[in-house]
Amino acid sequence: MDACSGGTVVLVSCVTSPHMFTGIHLTSGEQELFNPPPEGKIKEALLKLSTEAKELYLNSQVPVLDAVPSPLEFYREWVAANKPVILRGVTQHWPALTKWTPDYLRARLGEKEVSVAVTPNGYADAPSGGYFVMPEERQMKFGKFLDIMENPDSQPGIFYVQKQNSNFTEEFSEIMSDAAPEIPWFSEALGKSPDAVNFWMGDERAVTSMHKDHYENIYCVISGYKDFILLPPTDAPWVPYRAYKPATYRETAPGTFTIEPSPGEEVPWICIDPVAPDIVSYPQYMHASPVQCRVRAGEALFLPSLWYHHVRQSHGCVAVNFWYDMEYDVRYNYHKLLQSLSWVREPS
């Protein structure tokens, strides 16, 4: 049994079989890794790639723009360059910035049934006990969720509205006019509309574990703040992955959560915590180049496709993000090449 901040969780374990690949040595402690530390010529070439990326185009801090550039300028300077940037002014005309108080949200949505992710430890869609564990999905009235946000100790577990199925348009349509169904200038820059628009609100203990997405992402904070740890795609060789069997949290008694295995293929997922990285177990991560930034209310982060990101937040933070499908062009080809050079096997 493992005591967690939001309840007690019953842990189980799983073991995967070892794999070998020419040019990469696997010790007994690395047998589950998809991408153990590279060696020899491969390591030298990958280190040179990371060094040159930092010298040629990566920033040591995420830049901040006080005004939104033209669609063409934004595409040329940020999307094509695959570089993150914080923008002010993206949401300045949104009524949501002043209207989305708990009282207003309760009045508009209090009786609405919404999907809420519940975990014992704040980590939804993350490794735990040898499994990749998804949250317990509960349907509850949004007013009840707001009650829990105002008094988080009133219920065991950690609650987070975070369903990434365009829940803003599907579950929160009553308040969509306070924000927007898309970012017009960004849609013009990309020549497409967003694939999904997501609404986020949750406990300060809720954490998004490090991962990457195949989307161009505009992440708009409405209230509170979000803290991001970002790593560029060129850091792929230094970000360790393990294979996990899928599972789901289930609260089997008040405050007791069980990890229940689920059918399906193994899930490759990042196995290092960038907040407190275990360099002894994963020495390759010392070559990574994490950048941290805080995105505050009224600001938006452009998070480019394939960038690794880990996210924390202030309590009750509200945000809306817009996912635009990436272009599967030569950048994606190069990313897959980089992965093939550093991974012992492709995910199943």
Side-chain angles (χ1 to χ4, degrees):
M1 304 287 282
D2 181 28
C4 300
S5 57
T8 300
V9 58
V10 179
L11 298 179
V12 293
S13 63
C14 75
V15 178
T16 55
S17 58
H19 297 264
M20 299 297 293
F21 181 79
T22 302
I24 298 178
H25 175 64
L26 299 181
T27 68
S28 59
E30 297 168 343
Q31 289 178 351
E32 297 177 12
L33 283 177
F34 278 101
N35 53 341
E39 297 179 348
K41 285 290 188 179
I42 290 179
K43 181 179 180 180
E44 291 177 14
L46 296 175
L47 284 172
K48 184 176 181 181
L49 173 67
S50 295
T51 299
E52 291 184 344
K54 286 184 283 187
E55 292 174 349
L56 295 175
Y57 85 99
L58 294 177
N59 297 304
S60 59
Q61 296 181 326
V62 178
V64 179
L65 300 183
D66 289 323
V68 177
S70 69
L72 178 60
E73 180 183 357
F74 189 81
Y75 187 88
R76 182 178 63 240
E77 297 295 328
W78 305 103
V79 179
N82 195 242
K83 295 195 298 185
V85 62
I86 294 173
L87 300 129
R88 295 171 179 157
V90 173
T91 60
Q92 63 183 4
H93 59 288
W94 287 8
L97 289 175
T98 55
K99 292 175 70 173
W100 283 6
T101 64
D103 288 343
Y104 175 82
L105 294 174
R106 193 184 304 276
R108 295 298 305 275
L109 295 164
E111 297 300 310
K112 182 74 176 288
E113 293 275 337
V114 300
S115 301
V116 180
V118 185
T119 64
N121 53 14
Y123 284 81
D125 304 323
S128 181
Y131 286 85
F132 177 77
V133 192
M134 292 168 284
E136 179 176 291
E137 291 285 352
R138 296 186 192 171
Q139 292 292 311
M140 67 171 58
K141 290 185 177 181
F142 193 66
K144 176 65 174 177
F145 171 77
L146 291 174
D147 291 341
I148 296 171
M149 288 299 99
E150 292 173 350
N151 186 12
D153 293 331
S154 64
Q155 293 283 329
I158 296 170
F159 292 69
Y160 195 13
V161 174
Q162 58 110 60
K163 194 163 187 178
Q164 297 145 57
N165 62 342
S166 204
N167 68 338
F168 188 48
T169 59
E170 298 299 317
E171 296 188 336
F172 295 89
S173 57
E174 293 86 347
I175 60 172
M176 194 162 56
S177 61
D178 296 334
E182 65 178 325
I183 306 294
W185 59 268
F186 194 59
S187 297
E188 181 180 346
L190 297 180
K192 64 181 73 174
S193 296
D195 279 15
V197 186
N198 302 308
F199 178 94
W200 308 77
M201 183 178 184
D203 193 302
E204 65 183 341
R205 296 169 293 174
V207 176
T208 301
S209 66
M210 191 157 68
H211 67 288
K212 68 180 186 302
D213 298 311
H214 295 78
Y215 291 104
E216 311 294 352
N217 188 354
I218 294 284
Y219 205 107
C220 306
V221 176
I222 308 302
S223 64
Y225 62 82
K226 295 271 186 176
D227 285 332
F228 288 81
I229 300 175
L230 308 176
L231 287 87
T234 47
D235 275 355
W238 321 125
V239 179
Y241 278 76
R242 288 189 184 276
Y244 298 94
K245 297 292 186 182
T248 305
Y249 284 118
R250 291 284 179 259
E251 188 177 23
T252 55
T256 299
F257 289 78
T258 299
I259 295 175
E260 296 185 355
S262 305
E265 297 179 343
E266 63 185 12
V267 179
W269 204 259
I270 295 167
C271 51
I272 195 167
D273 180 1
V275 177
D278 181 357
I279 299 299
V280 174
S281 298
Y282 309 109
Q284 64 267 51
Y285 190 76
M286 72 177 65
H287 302 299
S289 304
V291 177
Q292 301 188 37
C293 67
R294 173 166 290 182
V295 185
R296 298 174 174 83
E299 297 179 336
L301 171 68
F302 168 58
L303 178 57
S305 57
L306 303 177
W307 274 68
Y308 302 94
H309 51 287
H310 172 281
V311 193
R312 292 171 292 175
Q313 63 192 348
S314 60
H315 189 73
C317 175
V318 179
V320 176
N321 86 297
F322 300 80
W323 272 340
Y324 292 76
D325 198 18
M326 69 174 289
E327 293 295 328
Y328 290 86
D329 54 18
V330 68
R331 288 179 300 171
Y332 181 74
N333 295 145
Y334 281 130
H335 177 75
K336 295 298 290 183
L337 172 63
L338 185 59
Q339 180 172 290
S340 69
L341 289 172
S342 54
W343 284 42
V344 297
R345 62 184 174 103
E346 292 289 330
S348 59

